[in-house]
Amino acid sequence: MLSVRRTTAAALSAAVLVACGLAGCTVQAESEPDDAVDSTPSSQVEASGTAPIVFAFVCRVDDSDRTETYTTYSAVWKDARSDCRAERITGTEASAQQRAAVTAADGAASLEDLATTCAMTGHGAWTSAITSDHDAHVAAGLAEYCPGHPEMDHLHDAIAAYRG
């Protein structure tokens, strides 16, 4: 029984050494340049088709001039940033949810405005009363655009209070 274990262990050790040796060969190999490869910069390629619009959020850090960029709303909410701007990073066409939000806002806010406001917490539509039709339209757009916002309950209450 002991000799079977030693034989198995020796076989495994040999297999590991062979694999490492092969990996070492591939790591050290260098590719040959190919004159047939098109080296045209990709920025000159024409885009085709559509993709959903995605935003990043550039937020000031405290009262400094320093900024931090976030790629999700939840990361901005976690860090409780309040001075942010949404910047489109990719995409050519609004998603169905984004279109519904802009429609609900009825001209009171653009998609970028809604994205920016959705990133923030602790002030504005998220904590104050709705006192005008303009505010009500923005709130309706926000309710469509970012239903997972941590202060959405307040926004729903403010909309209901305004509509009476």
Side-chain angles (χ1 to χ4, degrees):
M1 187 78 148
L2 186 57
S3 67
V4 171
R5 285 187 193 161
R6 285 186 185 158
T7 305
T8 304
L12 284 173
S13 295
V16 168
L17 288 174
V18 169
C20 288
L22 290 175
C25 290
T26 20
V27 170
Q28 293 175 356
E30 291 185 30
S31 62
E32 294 291 323
D34 186 357
D35 292 332
V37 174
D38 183 6
S39 61
T40 305
S42 61
S43 63
Q44 295 177 3
V45 174
E46 293 289 326
S48 63
T50 60
I53 295 170
V54 177
F55 294 98
F57 308 97
V58 179
C59 305
R60 282 186 51 190
V61 177
D62 303 320
D63 290 331
S64 71
D65 289 336
R66 207 173 94 232
T67 61
E68 189 163 345
T69 300
Y70 298 85
T71 57
T72 65
Y73 290 110
S74 58
V76 179
W77 300 335
K78 181 180 174 228
D79 282 356
R81 299 291 182 224
S82 60
D83 187 3
C84 301
R85 71 181 182 281
E87 291 189 2
R88 201 179 281 207
I89 56 173
T90 188
T92 56
E93 186 174 313
S95 68
Q97 180 179 8
Q98 290 169 332
R99 287 191 304 273
V102 170
T103 299
D106 196 28
S110 68
L111 181 58
E112 286 79 5
D113 294 335
L114 294 172
T116 294
T117 304
C118 187
M120 294 184 267
T121 58
H123 70 281
W126 303 113
T127 59
S128 57
I130 295 173
T131 59
S132 68
D133 284 344
H134 178 271
D135 293 347
H137 287 297
V138 171
L142 290 170
E144 288 288 329
Y145 188 75
C146 49
H149 193 282
E151 296 168 327
M152 186 55 72
D153 288 343
H154 169 80
L155 188 72
H156 284 300
D157 292 346
I159 291 170
Y162 179 76
R163 291 181 180 160

PDB file of all heavy atoms in Angstrom, residues 87-100:
ATOM      1  N   GLU A  87     -21.409  61.594 -15.731  1.00  0.00           N
ATOM      2  CA  GLU A  87     -20.730  61.713 -17.020  1.00  0.00           C
ATOM      3  C   GLU A  87     -20.984  60.446 -17.813  1.00  0.00           C
ATOM      4  O   GLU A  87     -20.719  59.343 -17.326  1.00  0.00           O
ATOM      5  CB  GLU A  87     -19.228  61.925 -16.829  1.00  0.00           C
ATOM      6  CG  GLU A  87     -18.900  63.265 -16.239  1.00  0.00           C
ATOM      7  CD  GLU A  87     -17.411  63.561 -16.247  1.00  0.00           C
ATOM      8  OE1 GLU A  87     -16.621  62.733 -16.749  1.00  0.00           O
ATOM      9  OE2 GLU A  87     -17.038  64.630 -15.746  1.00  0.00           O
ATOM     10  N   ARG A  88     -21.479  60.622 -19.004  1.00  0.00           N
ATOM     11  CA  ARG A  88     -21.748  59.489 -19.878  1.00  0.00           C
ATOM     12  C   ARG A  88     -20.426  58.831 -20.248  1.00  0.00           C
ATOM     13  O   ARG A  88     -19.523  59.487 -20.745  1.00  0.00           O
ATOM     14  CB  ARG A  88     -22.443  59.995 -21.136  1.00  0.00           C
ATOM     15  CG  ARG A  88     -23.212  58.963 -21.881  1.00  0.00           C
ATOM     16  CD  ARG A  88     -23.870  59.572 -23.097  1.00  0.00           C
ATOM     17  NE  ARG A  88     -25.075  60.289 -22.750  1.00  0.00           N
ATOM     18  CZ  ARG A  88     -26.084  60.461 -23.581  1.00  0.00           C
ATOM     19  NH1 ARG A  88     -26.012  59.993 -24.816  1.00  0.00           N
ATOM     20  NH2 ARG A  88     -27.145  61.110 -23.210  1.00  0.00           N
ATOM     21  N   ILE A  89     -20.302  57.526 -19.977  1.00  0.00           N
ATOM     22  CA  ILE A  89     -19.050  56.849 -20.306  1.00  0.00           C
ATOM     23  C   ILE A  89     -19.196  55.909 -21.496  1.00  0.00           C
ATOM     24  O   ILE A  89     -18.219  55.569 -22.127  1.00  0.00           O
ATOM     25  CB  ILE A  89     -18.467  56.086 -19.097  1.00  0.00           C
ATOM     26  CG1 ILE A  89     -19.459  55.087 -18.518  1.00  0.00           C
ATOM     27  CG2 ILE A  89     -17.983  57.047 -18.052  1.00  0.00           C
ATOM     28  CD1 ILE A  89     -18.887  54.191 -17.439  1.00  0.00           C
ATOM     29  N   THR A  90     -20.401  55.502 -21.784  1.00  0.00           N
ATOM     30  CA  THR A  90     -20.622  54.641 -22.935  1.00  0.00           C
ATOM     31  C   THR A  90     -22.100  54.655 -23.282  1.00  0.00           C
ATOM     32  O   THR A  90     -22.928  55.114 -22.509  1.00  0.00           O
ATOM     33  CB  THR A  90     -20.136  53.193 -22.665  1.00  0.00           C
ATOM     34  OG1 THR A  90     -20.191  52.439 -23.872  1.00  0.00           O
ATOM     35  CG2 THR A  90     -20.981  52.514 -21.625  1.00  0.00           C
ATOM     36  N   GLY A  91     -22.398  54.170 -24.436  1.00  0.00           N
ATOM     37  CA  GLY A  91     -23.788  54.020 -24.839  1.00  0.00           C
ATOM     38  C   GLY A  91     -24.250  55.060 -25.822  1.00  0.00           C
ATOM     39  O   GLY A  91     -23.734  56.176 -25.869  1.00  0.00           O
ATOM     40  N   THR A  92     -25.233  54.648 -26.603  1.00  0.00           N
ATOM     41  CA  THR A  92     -25.765  55.519 -27.640  1.00  0.00           C
ATOM     42  C   THR A  92     -27.271  55.670 -27.566  1.00  0.00           C
ATOM     43  O   THR A  92     -27.824  56.546 -28.214  1.00  0.00           O
ATOM     44  CB  THR A  92     -25.404  54.962 -29.028  1.00  0.00           C
ATOM     45  OG1 THR A  92     -25.898  53.615 -29.119  1.00  0.00           O
ATOM     46  CG2 THR A  92     -23.904  54.980 -29.269  1.00  0.00           C
ATOM     47  N   GLU A  93     -27.929  54.837 -26.797  1.00  0.00           N
ATOM     48  CA  GLU A  93     -29.386  54.874 -26.746  1.00  0.00           C
ATOM     49  C   GLU A  93     -29.873  54.644 -25.317  1.00  0.00           C
ATOM     50  O   GLU A  93     -29.386  53.758 -24.615  1.00  0.00           O
ATOM     51  CB  GLU A  93     -29.962  53.782 -27.660  1.00  0.00           C
ATOM     52  CG  GLU A  93     -31.463  53.830 -27.779  1.00  0.00           C
ATOM     53  CD  GLU A  93     -31.966  52.826 -28.794  1.00  0.00           C
ATOM     54  OE1 GLU A  93     -31.406  52.753 -29.902  1.00  0.00           O
ATOM     55  OE2 GLU A  93     -32.931  52.119 -28.460  1.00  0.00           O
ATOM     56  N   ALA A  94     -30.847  55.450 -24.906  1.00  0.00           N
ATOM     57  CA  ALA A  94     -31.403  55.304 -23.559  1.00  0.00           C
ATOM     58  C   ALA A  94     -32.136  53.967 -23.448  1.00  0.00           C
ATOM     59  O   ALA A  94     -32.775  53.504 -24.393  1.00  0.00           O
ATOM     60  CB  ALA A  94     -32.362  56.451 -23.269  1.00  0.00           C
ATOM     61  N   SER A  95     -32.041  53.369 -22.271  1.00  0.00           N
ATOM     62  CA  SER A  95     -32.776  52.131 -22.005  1.00  0.00           C
ATOM     63  C   SER A  95     -34.261  52.468 -21.853  1.00  0.00           C
ATOM     64  O   SER A  95     -34.643  53.639 -21.744  1.00  0.00           O
ATOM     65  CB  SER A  95     -32.264  51.489 -20.707  1.00  0.00           C
ATOM     66  OG  SER A  95     -32.620  52.302 -19.600  1.00  0.00           O
ATOM     67  N   ALA A  96     -35.100  51.457 -21.809  1.00  0.00           N
ATOM     68  CA  ALA A  96     -36.538  51.673 -21.620  1.00  0.00           C
ATOM     69  C   ALA A  96     -36.788  52.409 -20.297  1.00  0.00           C
ATOM     70  O   ALA A  96     -37.626  53.314 -20.230  1.00  0.00           O
ATOM     71  CB  ALA A  96     -37.275  50.335 -21.649  1.00  0.00           C
ATOM     72  N   GLN A  97     -36.073  52.035 -19.250  1.00  0.00           N
ATOM     73  CA  GLN A  97     -36.233  52.687 -17.946  1.00  0.00           C
ATOM     74  C   GLN A  97     -35.801  54.148 -18.021  1.00  0.00           C
ATOM     75  O   GLN A  97     -36.466  55.024 -17.474  1.00  0.00           O
ATOM     76  CB  GLN A  97     -35.429  51.949 -16.887  1.00  0.00           C
ATOM     77  CG  GLN A  97     -35.553  52.562 -15.502  1.00  0.00           C
ATOM     78  CD  GLN A  97     -34.755  51.807 -14.456  1.00  0.00           C
ATOM     79  OE1 GLN A  97     -33.992  50.905 -14.773  1.00  0.00           O
ATOM     80  NE2 GLN A  97     -34.925  52.176 -13.205  1.00  0.00           N
ATOM     81  N   GLN A  98     -34.705  54.421 -18.693  1.00  0.00           N
ATOM     82  CA  GLN A  98     -34.230  55.795 -18.832  1.00  0.00           C
ATOM     83  C   GLN A  98     -35.222  56.628 -19.634  1.00  0.00           C
ATOM     84  O   GLN A  98     -35.510  57.778 -19.276  1.00  0.00           O
ATOM     85  CB  GLN A  98     -32.843  55.818 -19.483  1.00  0.00           C
ATOM     86  CG  GLN A  98     -31.752  55.277 -18.585  1.00  0.00           C
ATOM     87  CD  GLN A  98     -30.439  55.054 -19.323  1.00  0.00           C
ATOM     88  OE1 GLN A  98     -30.407  54.797 -20.537  1.00  0.00           O
ATOM     89  NE2 GLN A  98     -29.333  55.150 -18.587  1.00  0.00           N
ATOM     90  N   ARG A  99     -35.762  56.064 -20.712  1.00  0.00           N
ATOM     91  CA  ARG A  99     -36.763  56.780 -21.517  1.00  0.00           C
ATOM     92  C   ARG A  99     -38.007  57.074 -20.690  1.00  0.00           C
ATOM     93  O   ARG A  99     -38.567  58.176 -20.748  1.00  0.00           O
ATOM     94  CB  ARG A  99     -37.121  55.996 -22.774  1.00  0.00           C
ATOM     95  CG  ARG A  99     -36.035  56.009 -23.839  1.00  0.00           C
ATOM     96  CD  ARG A  99     -36.515  55.448 -25.177  1.00  0.00           C
ATOM     97  NE  ARG A  99     -37.067  54.108 -25.092  1.00  0.00           N
ATOM     98  CZ  ARG A  99     -36.366  52.980 -25.175  1.00  0.00           C
ATOM     99  NH1 ARG A  99     -35.056  53.039 -25.349  1.00  0.00           N
ATOM    100  NH2 ARG A  99     -36.950  51.809 -25.100  1.00  0.00           N
ATOM    101  N   ALA A 100     -38.460  56.096 -19.902  1.00  0.00           N
ATOM    102  CA  ALA A 100     -39.642  56.290 -19.050  1.00  0.00           C
ATOM    103  C   ALA A 100     -39.394  57.397 -18.028  1.00  0.00           C
ATOM    104  O   ALA A 100     -40.283  58.208 -17.741  1.00  0.00           O
ATOM    105  CB  ALA A 100     -40.008  54.979 -18.348  1.00  0.00           C
TER     106      ALA A 100
END
